[in-house]
Amino acid sequence: SFEIELARSAMTLQVPAGKTILEVMREAGVTVLSSCEQGACGTCMTTVIEGEVDHQDVYLNESEKRANKAIMTCVSRAKSARLVLDI
Ligand code: FES
């Protein structure tokens, strides 16, 4: 598991192994847009403020993935213990 801090929502949440970031945010009452929920469309894209993303999507290209500035919250996870997201 890893932790997500939602900077604008002023919340810190735990993401367990069996759940996506998107699911955890929704369960906490945060409104997040999504469509494909398979990492392909970019609808759930969220800006990363801090932490290292474990990209699992097919929407961002390799250089965008290396830039570590955005995450598809429906499929991607964290390599670091904590991610800070601009939401
Ligand atoms: Fe389509 Fe996440 S909802 S990439």
Side-chain angles (χ1 to χ4, degrees):
S1 73
F2 55 94
E3 191 175 272
I4 51 171
E5 183 182 326
L6 310 185
R8 282 186 281 132
S9 309
M11 269 184 212
T12 300
L13 304 169
Q14 203 66 31
V15 183
K19 281 189 182 169
T20 66
I21 295 174
L22 185 71
E23 286 168 340
V24 168
M25 290 195 293
R26 283 201 172 138
E27 282 173 10
V30 180
T31 303
V32 198
L33 296 179
S34 74
S35 177
C36 73
E37 301 202 0
Q38 293 182 7
C41 72
T43 306
C44 68
M45 183 156 65
T46 300
T47 298
V48 176
I49 297 171
E50 201 184 297
E52 198 184 345
V53 179
D54 179 12
H55 294 285
Q56 302 285 330
D57 66 281
V58 294
Y59 180 81
L60 297 173
N61 66 32
E62 286 310 311
S63 86
E64 289 168 329
K65 285 178 180 172
R66 272 194 305 275
N68 198 63
K69 296 288 182 211
I71 182 170
M72 301 306 141
T73 58
C74 65
V75 291
S76 293
R77 308 189 66 82
K79 284 181 182 163
S80 50
R82 196 172 82 114
L83 286 180
V84 183
L85 303 179
D86 187 20
I87 188 166

